[in-house]
Structure formats: structure tokens, C-alpha cells
Amino acid sequence: LLELENDRRQAESRLANIPQAGELREEMADFILRHKEFPEALQKSMAERLYLEDVRSEQTFGPFTLAQTAKVSVNPKTFRPYYLVHWACFDGSANLPLIYMVTVEDSSESMVRQLVDANGKLNERVDIPLPVDGLLNPELAHRFDDFTEKNSAYTLSPATIAVNLDKDFEPLRPKQLRRVVLGPFYSAGITDNNSTVTEVLAKVRRPENAWLLTWTIQEIFSKSEKPGRKGLFSSEKTTQEFFINTDDLEAARQGVSSYENHALIPHEAYQALYAAGEAQKIFSGYKVHILSNGQVISDV
């Protein structure tokens, strides 16, 4: 992914030195007719052009994707606007893509005044062209971007990230933080994560069906809010009290209120694991989703 990001940044300059696709096709046809040979050099140029055009489209998962505000509403109890904000990163140390979503209330006077009408509803006269790049609050947007870049590592628990967010931003009240950990991904002949899974997947008849994707959804939420106080000599900001499910040892270890393990696998690969007697052991504690004929069958 780091190499992809480097290629994405250089894509424009490199494409400027490669002929257009139509020109390359004409040159390839002419080369074949004149030399009766395959134009390997031209094929390489065409492949590089197509690759760079694809990378430039920004559809690839980059090392870091800046935050976007995807939803805006008003909490009917506190009459504060709240945002659903998401961002993503690739953790090179853990070799895992991570997607973050946070629901955060904003107590800033300027944002409350703009976004909340007299009836405690979202002000419909304010045009918000969602999704909005960055945090909706412009006064905090740059700081929020800096925060997410520094607080998105896999080694940080969701509890740590939520507490840091609550501590670093006076007006923000993080109510829920969700992290989706994409992976591990198992594929016969490509990855070597689990010897049992790899051995069974290698026996799947069609290579395109010899894979298994797992992901984990971690969530932490605020169970209450501790009011701040302002004194003559000292003051304390309003803070959130986050719930960690200590009755579940795995939830406590992850630093979350709850978590879910999911797995997506082609039907042929699932049959192979089931026939080998490994399915129940491998998918213990997972919600299994089977891909069959272009449809996803969940809760198997």
C-alpha cells in the first residue's frame, strides 16, 4: 500500500511520458503485422498506463484517508448537533486496514447557534452538502485531522482513542467510537497466516474461490457524562465515562464495550473446510457469511 501511495503521487508525471492507450494499440497492431512477433515492450507500456490510471482514480485503499463528516443531526436531549465522522488508515506494522467511525456531539456555541433551530431540531435553512471533508466544525477541522493521523494505530485500543479524543477537544463529546479491523485475509498460494486454513484452501478446485476474509468490528460507547466545573483557581472539562465490558474477558482485553468477529468465504471453500472437519473450529465465535452465485448468505 505504501508503494501504491507513492505511485499515486507520481501518476500524473509518469503518464505524461507514456503514449495514450489508442496510440499504443495502433503501435502494437503495426508491430505484430510488420515483425510477426509479440510487442512485449509496448505491452509493458500499456500495462503501466492502465495501472497508473487506476491508481490515480483513488479507488485504492491508501495509507491514510482523511476524515469525512457523513451525517449531521441534533441530540433531542442535549440540543447539541452531533456528527458521524469516518476515516481510515493502513497500519503497516500490523499489515491491516482499519476503518474508524465516531459519533461526536459538538457543544461549540457557534455550531449550536448555526445548526440548532428554536425547536431543538436541525436547522433546515443551513445547507450541508454531505459528505463534508473533515470535521464539520471548521475551527476544529485541522486539529481533528492531526488527531486522527496520530491516533489510528492498531496498537491503540478503541478505549484509548476515545479517551484521547475526549481529552484533546474541549467542545467535543465523543459518544461512540467504532473500529473495523479488515483481516486477516487468507488465500491459497498468496498468504501464509494459518497452516490449517492454508492447507485446506490449497485443495479447493477453483483457485478464484480459495480465499477467506475475516474482520472484527469493535465498539466503545459513553455510558454517562461527567459535568465539568469552573473555579477561581482550577477547572475541569466535561468528560465521558466509557463503558468497557469487563464481564467479557476478550472485550476487556480489546478495550471495548462490544465486538463482533465476521468471516466471508466462497461456498466452495466453506465446503472444503466443512468436509475436512475444520469449519466448526475455525469459525467458532464468528458470524459466517457465505458467497454463493453472487449472493451473500449470512448467519450460517
Side-chain angles (χ1 to χ4, degrees), residues 7-36:
D7 288 342
R8 185 187 67 81
R9 293 177 179 178
Q10 298 178 4
E12 290 295 341
S13 60
R14 287 169 61 180
L15 282 169
N17 296 319
I18 303 174
Q20 294 295 321
E23 297 177 29
L24 286 170
R25 292 190 183 96
E26 291 180 4
E27 289 185 37
M28 292 172 76
D30 182 64
F31 185 94
I32 293 171
L33 292 172
R34 285 191 295 109
H35 298 281
K36 304 297 188 292

Side-chain angles (χ1 to χ4, degrees), residues 53-86:
E53 288 177 346
D54 191 46
V55 170
R56 186 182 57 177
S57 69
E58 297 187 355
Q59 296 302 307
T60 54
F61 196 107
F64 190 81
T65 303
L66 287 170
Q68 280 191 332
T69 300
K71 181 181 178 181
V72 183
S73 190
V74 174
N75 186 331
K77 295 181 179 179
T78 63
F79 302 111
R80 301 174 189 149
Y82 71 86
Y83 322 129
L84 174 63
V85 186
H86 60 76

Side-chain angles (χ1 to χ4, degrees), residues 2 4 20 22 36 47 65 84 89 101 121 124 127 137 143 148 166 177 202 216 239 242 254 263-264 273 276 283:
L2 296 176
L4 281 172
Q20 294 295 321
K36 304 297 188 292
T65 303
L84 174 63
C89 78
M101 289 164 276
K121 305 287 185 181
E124 295 182 353
D127 181 31
N137 187 328
R143 279 183 56 207
T148 55
D166 187 36
L177 175 72
T216 302
T239 56
F242 295 102
Q254 294 183 27
L264 176 66
L273 289 170
F283 296 121

Side-chain angles (χ1 to χ4, degrees), residues 229-236:
R229 64 177 182 83
K230 292 185 178 180
L232 185 61
F233 299 105
S234 65
S235 62
E236 294 179 359

